[in-house]
Amino acid sequence: DAEITQSPRHKIIETGRQVTLACHQTWNHNNMFWYRQDLGHGLRLIHYSYGVHDTNKGEVSDGYSVSRSNTEDLPLTLESAASSQTSVYFCASRAGQGSYNEQFFGPGTRLTVL
Amino acid sequence: DAKTTQPNSMESNEEEPVHLPCNHSTISGTDYIHWYRQLPSQGPEYVIHGLTSNVNNRMASLAIAEDRKSSTLILHRATLRDAAVYYCILSASGNTPLVFGKGTRLSVIA
């Protein structure tokens, strides 16, 4: 079965360190998204991509970067992690050219920045 | 994206129907209405979506007001596994990202 996976599932890092969160989907979806979810809040969009070599900023993109070198993967990099970036990170993918298509989410990565 | 307004929380008895409301008075004619839910410690999952007409699927029904300024997600028979945060989201036509609000936390009582 096709799926979307994230790794690691849990990560603890020190302030100022760089970390990359992986997202891999096997549906061959063009569209991929990264969200963060802070305790007790909804999801906020960080970055998204509509295809290989395409990246776009979401509402909370400062301090994060993404690159899309193939269809299956959209890694999220925190260049210099800050305590404010402690959160749960969700990756998602979606087929086609319309927002009406179902969006599939990964299981999340819980990141703690100390 | 047009905004949606949902109650912060709702409670339901097990095996009773649940009606989750969503107001979206600034919806445009081509905006889709989506519902996703997030079970505890999981990523969100798709529930249903619609444009103008009411929609039914195996999980739920979506009732859309005639003027499209509000909609209601209907769970026909709530189970304990339906306890989750339910998000009502509007999206413009075309390939736009979904923008999540805070949703409604549904508690189901046995």
Side-chain angles (χ1 to χ4, degrees):
Chain A
D1 282 346
E3 61 178 355
I4 181 166
T5 57
Q6 295 184 234
S7 62
R9 294 294 312 279
H10 302 270
K11 181 79 175 178
I12 300 174
I13 61 170
E14 294 178 344
T15 301
R17 296 283 197 178
Q18 181 184 82
V19 63
T20 296
L21 309 183
C23 174
H24 179 80
Q25 51 96 4
T26 59
W27 280 292
N28 205 36
H29 287 164
N30 286 330
N31 310 304
M32 296 185 72
F33 309 87
W34 273 104
Y35 296 85
R36 62 176 285 177
Q37 185 173 36
D38 301 320
L39 193 63
H41 290 82
L43 284 77
R44 290 186 291 171
L45 183 66
I46 305 172
H47 281 288
Y48 56 102
S49 168
Y50 290 144
V52 176
H53 303 310
D54 175 74
T55 62
N56 304 279
K57 293 182 178 180
E59 58 184 312
V60 290
S61 61
D62 286 350
Y64 303 93
S65 64
V66 292
S67 63
R68 187 92 179 268
S69 59
N70 59 51
T71 300
E72 297 78 18
D73 299 288
L74 186 68
L76 177 72
T77 298
L78 286 68
E79 302 290 347
S80 176
S83 57
S84 59
Q85 294 177 305
T86 292
S87 191
V88 180
Y89 291 84
F90 290 100
C91 178
S93 72
R94 188 175 76 199
Q97 297 298 315
S99 64
Y100 47 78
N101 290 315
E102 181 177 349
Q103 196 158 302
F104 296 88
F105 285 82
T109 293
R110 183 175 297 276
L111 179 68
T112 302
V113 183
L114 301 176
Chain B
D1 287 318
K3 283 201 164 187
T4 62
T5 303
Q6 300 178 253
N8 289 333
S9 62
M10 291 184 64
E11 204 171 77
S12 173
N13 294 318
E14 195 177 14
E15 300 188 10
E16 295 287 321
V18 182
H19 291 233
L20 296 162
C22 181
N23 286 318
H24 30 78
S25 58
T26 60
I27 190 170
S28 76
T30 55
D31 284 346
Y32 285 90
I33 303 163
H34 304 260
W35 284 84
Y36 281 73
R37 73 178 186 180
Q38 187 174 20
L39 302 172
S41 300
Q42 294 189 28
E45 64 177 358
Y46 170 84
V47 178
I48 202 166
H49 80 277
L51 184 60
T52 56
S53 303
N54 294 344
V55 184
N56 299 296
N57 66 20
R58 63 174 179 81
M59 286 182 71
S61 295
L62 175 60
I64 301 173
E66 198 169 329
D67 64 5
R68 300 186 73 234
K69 293 186 176 182
S70 66
S71 61
T72 302
L73 179 70
I74 303 166
L75 307 180
H76 295 288
R77 198 165 153 268
T79 70
L80 296 178
R81 290 172 295 180
D82 291 322
V85 178
Y86 287 78
Y87 298 97
C88 171
I89 304 164
L90 300 185
S91 70
S93 61
N95 201 13
T96 56
L98 296 184
V99 177
F100 286 73
K102 295 184 178 179
T104 296
R105 182 173 297 277
L106 176 66
S107 302
V108 180
I109 303 166

